[in-house]
Amino acid sequence: MKHLDEGTIHAWLDGEPRRDADEIERHVAACAECAARVAEARGLIAGSSRILSALDDVGSGIVPGGGGGGGETIVVKTIRIRPMRIVGWLAAAGLVVAVGVRTVADSRTVGTAVTATTTTTATTTAAPATPVAKAPAAVVNEPAKPEAGKIAAAKVETTKVAAVAVAAAAAAPTAKGLSLQNVVVTGVAEQRRTASAEVTATTAAELGRVPVCFAPVSANAMKQASDLSAANQPRAAFAGRVLMFDSTPAAAEPAAAQLAGSVFRQLRDSGVVIGAWRRLGTDSVELRAAGLVTRAALMGGGISIDGTTWRRSVCPPKGP
Amino acid sequence: MHDADRLFREYHAPLVRYLTRRLGDRDWAEEVAQETFLRALRQSALQNERAWLFTVATNLVRDAARTESRRRRHLELLAAEEQGRMVESPATEMERAEERAQARRALEQLAERDREALLMREEGLNYEEIAAALGVAVGSVGTTLSRARRRLVQAFEQTNGRSVGR
């Protein structure tokens, strides 16, 4: 067998299926030169993996919140809104599929305090084609642990965000200092009803046996809407977007059910965001999508963000 | 329609990690990943899900990089100002940030295709998937990876002034 070229060596070390794998192994055992090349290749593979792992310590700019007695404070990150292509997004929204409720009962957590979340972030200013002027500092923050055994209704403590897009206002960042609270209220009011109705009809058809509706999104209307059956999903407006997520477990289920990794869809005025949420305790969840992290309190079949409770809403009657 | 949940659970984390390494920005990475999954939802069927997702994500990165660099710089400046108000970091975080910057500089010295092939391999894509994602011959992937790994390590050692310990 001839000496092995580097490509062959790396493919062999990477475990790629090869018909001559046994032959290669015998050759490496017998040829000192190729054995040295293999050793070097192993080092390069390990070294490059180590180097690349250093790139993983990049946070999403989560801004730490302060602790508060008796209540969780919410960490809200810098919201970076970038214009995403809008073409076909309403059609894409029609493909949103309701996420079935996944409940994993964890009796060990019943009655215990919410686990504090430690967020470690380090945001790099390096862009692919832009030299890094400075290495930004990383931040480690841990929200204050709530009182043991007490999980008060979580409050969303807003922090300043560097760039925020208000719903229907496209993607230009707003002025710095706009609080999340303002965004929630303002964004909801600006949702276009026409778009909501279109999404409602399409989404209900796509979801089949789990109709999910996007009710008129004025804050007052949502507050006053009556509850749906357990099969339907609650929605809320969050940061100017309509948010839908897995329904909370039925009242009969253990209150501390964990829904780690559950997927929710976050419907913007012009598209859909896929994210994840996890239950933090008996009455709070952490929502994470597109660099957005926040917590919301679960209250009576809905969620509460920034003091506003969003309840499930009935589906609007279909036209003749 | 796909099992969107399964797709998300299986591939979201590695895709975001690939994109974060590629872009150096988790926010951007998550948005690109998000757009990738949206497009996946529109497909009636995916033959090779992982290869398809990484291909689409890679193409989105290339498209976005062409149009977004200036706007991104603006947002980064805003974020940097915001970061300045946060709790001061311990010394170890500064060291990690420096190493991250060095790794980033080393990675940027690779040719784009070599960089992408290497990052995909790190996420477990096999040679066939990498070849499909990058539009190259399967037989060339090994050579591409060997070149990328060697170049990355050399560039890092030059930047860092010390051996990676290979």
Side-chain angles (χ1 to χ4, degrees):
Chain A
M1 191 181 201
K2 296 187 302 180
H3 288 309
L4 303 171
D5 62 85
E6 287 206 3
T8 300
I9 291 173
H10 280 255
W12 181 62
L13 290 175
D14 283 336
E16 287 297 301
R18 298 179 63 99
R19 273 181 286 184
D20 58 352
D22 291 340
E23 192 179 348
I24 291 174
E25 188 170 351
R26 285 193 294 273
H27 178 82
V28 170
C31 175
E33 183 177 337
C34 288
R37 288 184 183 179
V38 168
E40 185 193 32
R42 287 189 200 278
L44 290 173
I45 292 171
S48 59
S49 285
R50 274 198 292 276
I51 292 167
L52 292 176
S53 66
L55 298 173
D56 293 340
D57 191 17
V58 175
S60 54
I62 296 175
V63 179
E72 289 290 345
T73 54
I74 304 304
V75 172
V76 176
K77 72 164 303 294
T78 298
I79 302 174
R80 298 185 180 187
I81 307 299
R82 301 182 179 84
M84 301 294 282
R85 292 176 185 165
I86 298 177
V87 175
W89 271 46
L90 281 178
L95 295 175
V96 169
V97 178
V99 178
V101 174
R102 287 174 175 77
T103 303
V104 177
D106 186 351
S107 59
R108 293 171 298 176
T109 63
V110 173
T112 59
V114 171
T115 302
T117 298
T118 301
T119 57
T120 304
T121 68
T123 303
T124 177
T125 58
T130 305
V132 178
K134 65 173 182 178
V139 177
V140 176
N141 266 283
E142 185 166 355
K145 289 179 166 50
E147 296 179 47
K150 286 189 179 180
I151 304 174
K155 284 187 178 181
V156 175
E157 181 171 309
T158 62
T159 59
K160 292 182 180 179
V161 293
V164 175
V166 177
T174 64
K176 227 172 78 170
L178 185 65
S179 72
L180 178 60
Q181 179 172 7
N182 293 339
V183 171
V184 169
V185 173
T186 304
V188 166
E190 292 182 0
Q191 287 278 352
R192 290 190 294 262
R193 286 173 180 261
T194 302
S196 294
E198 288 172 358
V199 171
T200 295
T202 306
T203 304
E206 290 292 334
L207 290 170
R209 60 185 177 88
V210 183
V212 174
C213 309
F214 294 86
V217 293
S218 70
N220 288 335
M222 291 191 73
K223 283 184 190 177
Q224 294 165 6
S226 57
D227 290 347
L228 285 174
S229 67
N232 289 321
Q233 298 185 346
R235 286 158 296 152
F238 175 65
R241 309 163 189 167
V242 174
L243 171 71
M244 58 180 283
F245 52 93
D246 289 355
S247 61
T248 56
E253 298 187 48
Q258 291 294 320
L259 294 171
S262 295
V263 176
F264 69 83
R265 268 62 170 186
Q266 182 177 347
L267 176 67
R268 300 183 183 184
D269 58 330
S270 60
V272 175
V273 171
I274 296 175
W277 74 310
R278 67 187 181 96
R279 193 148 189 188
L280 297 177
T282 58
D283 60 1
S284 66
V285 294
E286 179 183 87
L287 310 174
R288 179 187 296 269
L292 198 70
V293 179
T294 192
R295 293 184 193 170
L298 293 174
M299 298 177 66
I303 66 171
S304 175
I305 299 176
D306 198 29
T308 300
T309 300
W310 307 104
R311 296 188 177 279
R312 300 168 187 172
S313 178
V314 296
C315 296
K318 295 187 179 179
Chain B
M1 193 181 299
H2 306 294
D3 182 353
D5 289 349
R6 179 191 58 77
L7 209 65
F8 182 83
R9 288 196 176 83
E10 281 188 32
Y11 301 113
H12 183 258
L15 191 64
V16 169
R17 185 169 53 241
Y18 163 76
L19 290 167
T20 301
R21 290 178 174 185
R22 177 73 178 77
L23 299 169
D25 183 325
R26 185 177 293 279
D27 292 350
W28 196 2
E30 290 193 4
E31 291 223 14
V32 174
Q34 168 186 297
E35 175 64 18
T36 303
F37 279 101
L38 281 175
R39 296 188 182 202
L41 289 176
R42 295 177 203 152
Q43 303 298 312
S44 56
L46 295 177
Q47 292 286 33
N48 186 329
E49 294 170 338
R50 186 163 58 180
W52 190 93
L53 289 169
F54 276 79
T55 301
V56 170
T58 301
N59 290 337
L60 286 172
V61 166
R62 290 175 185 167
D63 292 345
R66 281 193 279 271
T67 59
E68 287 253 343
S69 58
R70 191 181 306 174
R71 183 164 180 282
R72 180 163 308 284
R73 184 64 186 151
H74 172 65
L75 290 174
E76 286 166 356
L77 289 172
L78 290 176
E81 287 182 43
E82 200 62 29
Q83 290 281 343
R85 303 181 194 197
M86 295 162 73
V87 175
E88 210 162 329
S89 62
T92 51
E93 291 299 329
M94 292 299 296
E95 290 169 2
R96 284 161 57 186
E98 180 59 24
E99 184 169 288
R100 187 169 57 250
Q102 290 166 348
R104 172 64 52 193
R105 284 196 288 272
L107 186 64
E108 287 170 6
Q109 294 193 35
L110 273 58
E112 187 175 16
R113 182 156 292 169
D114 290 1
R115 188 188 315 147
E116 289 166 351
L118 183 57
L119 292 175
M120 288 183 190
R121 178 62 203 163
E122 288 293 309
E123 296 308 324
L125 274 70
N126 60 36
Y127 281 27
E128 203 172 306
E129 290 169 331
I130 294 172
L134 299 181
V136 300
V138 176
S140 70
V141 175
T143 305
T144 300
L145 289 174
S146 70
R147 181 175 59 238
R149 286 161 172 158
R150 181 180 297 281
R151 186 72 192 104
L152 180 71
V153 170
Q154 287 174 344
F156 184 83
E157 289 178 342
Q158 286 171 3
T159 303
N160 196 282
R162 61 179 172 86
S163 172
V164 182
R166 53 184 159 129

